[in-house]
Amino acid sequence: MDNKKGRKYEAVKWMMVFAIGVCTGLVGLFVDFFVRLFTQLKFGVVQTSVEECSQKGCLALSLLELLGFNLTFVFLASLLVLIEPVAAGSGIPEIKCYLNGVKVPGIVRLRTLLCKVFGVLFSVAGGLFVGKEGPMIHSGAVVGAGLPQFQSISLRKIQFNFPYFRSDRDKRDFVSAGAAAGVAAAFGAPIGGTLFSLEEGSSFWNQGLTWKVLFCSMSATFTLNFFRSGIQFGSWGSFQLPGLLNFGEFKCSDSDKKCHLWTAMDLGFFVVMGVIGGLLGATFNCLNKRLAKYRMRNVHPKPKLVRVLESLLVSVVTTVVVFTASMVLGECRQMSASGQIGNDSFQLQVSSEDVNSSIKTFFCPNETYNDMATLFFNPQESAILQLFHQDGTFSPVTLALFFVLYFLLACWTYGISVPSGLFVPSLLCGAAFGRLVANVLKSYIGLGHIYSGTFALIGAAAFLGGVVRMTISLTVILIESTNEITYGLPIMITLMVAKWTGDFFNKGIYDIHVGLRGVPLLEWETEAEMDKLRASDIMEPNLTYVYPHTRIQSLVSILRTTVHHAFPVVTENRGNEKEFMKGNQLISNNIRFKKSSILTRAGEQRRRSQSMKSYPSSELRNVCDEHLASEEPAEKEDLLQQMLERRYTPYPNLYPDQSPSEDWTMEERFRPLTFHGLILRSQLVTLLVRGVCYSENQSSASQPRLSYAEMAEDYPRYPDIHDLDLTLLNPRMIVDVTPYMNPSPFTVSPNTHVSQVFNLFRTMGLRHLPVVNAVGEIVGIITRHNLTYEFLQARLRQHYQTI
């Protein structure tokens, strides 16, 4: 690619990133609009029914109405997950895996997006304790993966000839941009989205990507803001509603001079809340992990209908608990003095009427309201706003009961087969806990200066931090959502303390679910102790390799009997190569290829030794002179022979105890193999499908050549070797793989420390890392599996046993 083409490529990339942001914003708008519509419809019908029935005594009828709505919605959500099982859950663990370099099948397909979007819409409207924010991140990632490809498996008929971005690296960059845009649309936090992508997701990051991802997040936030402001307030272009989740504005009323959002003294309470949040989060994760294991053993193996029934059961229990708690356990509380809300007459995002209108007066006399119903009979976002901004007090008993019920039901709900986010339930749960702390401090300890909204926010941060264990991105997301930079320090301290406390007991919820799926995720770095191991301790010494010139029948059998994704291209080192060359075209082609590469290396060595003579050091010159005197300028053949004889003996610890094949001697099993490059399975299959080969009586130059565009045409779904029609191929033909292999992959020496191997592998986004000794012979290969925590631990134990 020349510079002009490179600039064009870059410009197209920027346009794609903008398009991804806009589309993610529109997906968020769609979800938000319909969730709001369905929820208003449901609560409208149920509320009038409750108000009528509380006089007539037919409350069972109201409960049945609510059950009818909820079960219908949850049933639809479960059916969508049956169509595409990957759409269940929040999707963040799967996206984390994808950005770490592991492809989860079906994770970024169009069908997954449709099932996710419609499913989350129904599951939130169905009154389950789930959020729509987590699935937004997954939806954004799918948009990012699919949009730049201009094609979809689900819509095979639609084909655009769009030659750009046909590689995994580009796709991964777009997925990280899409995931960031999802966060930005959900919370109105573009910077938080960028940091989320950086912290939670991408293993491989470069400078240019940061700027593109931020641009993508901004375009998502402002697209959503523009349309939501227009649709809800009719003021197009005024940008009043940044994200799907708004926390409103925190500020003291003008009349109250003593009121401060927080004081230095409160930091002590915040730290304690952080510790408690961490403990609660660890408990939540522990319970959820046990539930998930139980589901894997007892629910998933059974027919798919069982999963739907489980979702319906959760829905019934949730609905009955919500209804009964609101009717029986709620207290009637006095409304604030003038029907106004004293602590915050804020105008910008959420008018005080908005908070007041979501107050529920079930079974309460005039001028009072039912505090439990106000929390349970509202959309979760409204309930969070109530806890943050409602100055009319909630009784401590109500808050404690609400917290316990919500905690248990949210824990049970996360993991059933509906699309479900975890952010909003955690925030709501934590906000109730924070509000409870504020109530206790105000009423029982007599600290009058406390601003309840701040404590609710810190409680929400502590609990969410204890569950998901994110630090940088979560701090920024919460600061951006509150629009209040003064909260930076308390939020940061609380999240840090919550993370440290939680990490003492278990991992974050997303890491737990990644672990349960058995995905080989690479952490940011290895433990210090691992440096006792070297590359030769962890590599795979049994190699499946191909020669530069290989018969079709050998290639097909290798591809059909192994599942490796890349094969080293090697030549063997034998003593009597002259006899081998006679009469066999295939072997002589391979030996010639090896000689040409070795002779260029020999030439370089000779030039180097020549230049060493010009150094002033007499010692060096003497060494060189002796070396040249002892080695008369030999013929090329002898030079090759000397290089082969000077080879170091292979590392003794690479030999296994027994030879893998009974009829092979040890020498044969680990023949010295000169390494020339790596070739991918997809490339080999493409060569076979396209018939790139030559016959034995021709020269390899007669083999047809494929361009890069032709090689990448089938991306991302290359043909499978098992679908290949072998009758079309002549098994005796020879394939020359040298023009298509990667002649200069990253390699490491057998003595490299594991931490260096790990850093190289992770930073460069590798899949295969050949281990090559000092004379260019391949002695093993390292893949992701060899760098997982469990594998390294096992090798370390072996290492200690052998010492």
Side-chain angles (χ1 to χ4, degrees), residues 655-660 664-671:
Y655 290 150
D657 303 332
Q658 295 169 315
S659 92
W664 274 19
T665 62
M666 190 62 78
E667 285 300 314
E668 279 184 306
R669 190 71 190 91
F670 288 97
R671 298 181 188 121

Side-chain angles (χ1 to χ4, degrees), residues 607-617 620-621 624:
R607 277 202 301 281
R608 204 174 301 146
S609 67
Q610 296 273 319
S611 63
M612 281 171 77
K613 290 173 76 174
S614 62
Y615 281 107
S617 159
L620 264 180
R621 194 176 303 126
C624 269

Side-chain angles (χ1 to χ4, degrees), residues 39 44 130 148 192 412 424-425 446 463 618 757:
T39 318
V130 299
W412 185 22
V424 172
F463 186 69
S618 56
V757 173

Side-chain angles (χ1 to χ4, degrees), residues 540-598:
E540 175 53 61
N542 295 341
L543 297 171
T544 308
Y545 47 82
V546 298
Y547 297 117
H549 299 260
T550 312
R551 287 197 198 285
I552 283 183
Q553 82 192 62
S554 312
L555 281 182
V556 170
S557 78
I558 286 173
L559 291 169
R560 288 205 158 180
T561 53
T562 63
V563 289
H564 306 309
H565 269 268
F567 304 95
V569 180
V570 300
T571 47
E572 292 178 14
N573 296 336
R574 300 168 183 269
N576 50 349
E577 282 176 341
K578 278 188 178 165
E579 283 88 273
F580 269 106
M581 285 178 73
K582 288 174 188 159
N584 188 324
Q585 177 71 26
L586 182 62
I587 290 181
S588 65
N589 275 355
N590 281 330
I591 290 176
R592 258 195 223 107
F593 177 78
K594 179 186 70 170
K595 282 185 177 168
S596 66
S597 67
I598 283 190

Side-chain angles (χ1 to χ4, degrees), residues 446-457:
L447 295 174
H449 72 278
I450 281 175
Y451 179 73
S452 313
T454 303
F455 274 77
L457 177 70

Side-chain angles (χ1 to χ4, degrees), residues 282-338:
T283 314
F284 185 95
N285 292 359
C286 176
L287 291 172
N288 195 269
K289 184 178 182 179
R290 296 209 167 161
L291 262 172
K293 282 184 171 170
Y294 175 81
R295 283 188 180 116
M296 286 165 89
R297 281 196 305 271
N298 302 334
V299 179
H300 293 175
K302 292 189 176 148
K304 286 185 172 178
L305 198 64
V306 178
R307 297 187 201 186
V308 179
L309 292 174
E310 188 201 11
S311 309
L312 294 177
L313 174 68
V314 173
S315 176
V316 169
V317 172
T318 307
T319 310
V320 171
V321 165
V322 164
F323 196 83
T324 323
S326 304
M327 301 307 147
V328 181
L329 303 172
E331 290 187 25
C332 292
R333 310 289 292 186
Q334 197 67 38
M335 292 226 191
S336 304
S338 61

